[in-house]
Amino acid sequence: MQEQEKSKFQRYRKSSYLADMFLQQRSKVNWIKLGDDNTKYFSIVIKHRKLQRAIVQLADEENRVQTEPEAIANIFVRFYKNLLRKKERNRTMAFTSFLRNWYTLSVDHQLELVKEYTRKEVKQAMFRININKSPGPDSYDSDFFKKAWSIEW
């Protein structure tokens, strides 16, 4: 009976995995068809993602659940104010022995990393980015910046 149970469980896991893969592929097909256009579908998907990330309730210091946005914001503010006010007295020393066993940057390389970059270097880096890459957090893609490059800044 254990062998039968094991066999059936493995069949279930495989069919469950295949069903998940099918749904993921179907979702990708819908996204390819509808998501790249600025359509209603695209807007609904983005709105749904934002709602999933939203914090709609949070327990305060007395463990009471708050649902009002202003109360939730105040809980965050109080938490971080208290966190930033604390001074840690028992700090643990960094484990630095691994640094002695690996390569470290020379002073010249360190200075190279912190030197100011030029407008030319920024332009070269920007124009190397493929226009089909996803936009950044500001929703502008590299093609936008390439086309707007001639505008003085």
Side-chain angles (χ1 to χ4, degrees):
M1 292 193 57
Q2 286 179 336
E3 287 298 319
Q4 282 181 335
E5 183 180 357
K6 183 179 177 182
S7 170
K8 291 194 185 285
F9 179 71
Q10 287 174 344
R11 281 182 45 205
Y12 165 76
R13 281 186 57 192
K14 183 177 180 181
S15 65
S16 176
Y17 172 76
L18 292 173
D20 286 346
M21 293 306 297
F22 171 75
L23 292 173
Q24 283 182 358
Q25 289 175 359
R26 195 168 83 187
S27 169
K28 287 179 183 177
V29 167
N30 284 341
W31 184 260
I32 289 169
K33 284 182 186 174
L34 304 170
D36 284 342
D37 297 331
N38 196 7
T39 62
K40 186 175 181 181
Y41 174 78
F42 176 79
S43 300
I44 289 170
V45 169
I46 298 301
K47 187 175 183 180
H48 179 71
R49 284 183 184 172
K50 284 183 181 178
L51 287 174
Q52 283 181 322
R53 292 188 196 132
I55 297 173
V56 293
Q57 65 181 19
L58 191 63
D60 62 11
E61 296 85 3
E62 287 84 37
N63 216 19
R64 288 177 297 188
V65 176
Q66 302 292 336
T67 56
E68 294 295 320
E70 190 172 319
I72 292 171
N74 288 334
I75 292 170
F76 277 112
V77 169
R78 283 193 304 272
F79 173 80
Y80 283 104
K81 277 185 178 178
N82 289 336
L83 182 68
L84 295 173
R85 243 186 245 133
K86 293 180 184 175
K87 289 190 176 181
E88 190 63 41
R89 300 206 189 286
N90 300 326
R91 289 194 174 175
T92 311
M93 294 301 291
F95 184 64
T96 57
S97 64
F98 70 91
L99 291 175
R100 284 182 248 122
N101 298 328
W102 296 98
Y103 298 108
T104 55
L105 294 175
S106 68
V107 173
D108 290 337
H109 284 123
Q110 291 175 24
L111 291 173
E112 183 73 22
L113 287 174
V114 295
K115 78 174 189 177
E116 290 191 33
Y117 46 85
T118 65
R119 181 179 168 89
K120 181 181 176 185
E121 290 170 326
V122 173
K123 183 177 181 179
Q124 286 174 343
M126 179 57 67
F127 279 72
R128 282 190 207 134
I129 299 174
N130 188 316
I131 63 170
N132 294 321
K133 292 289 184 182
S134 297
D138 59 2
S139 357
Y140 294 113
D141 60 5
S142 63
D143 192 40
F144 168 82
F145 289 106
K146 289 176 187 179
K147 288 180 178 173
W149 191 263
S150 61
I151 299 170
E152 275 302 315
W153 48 280

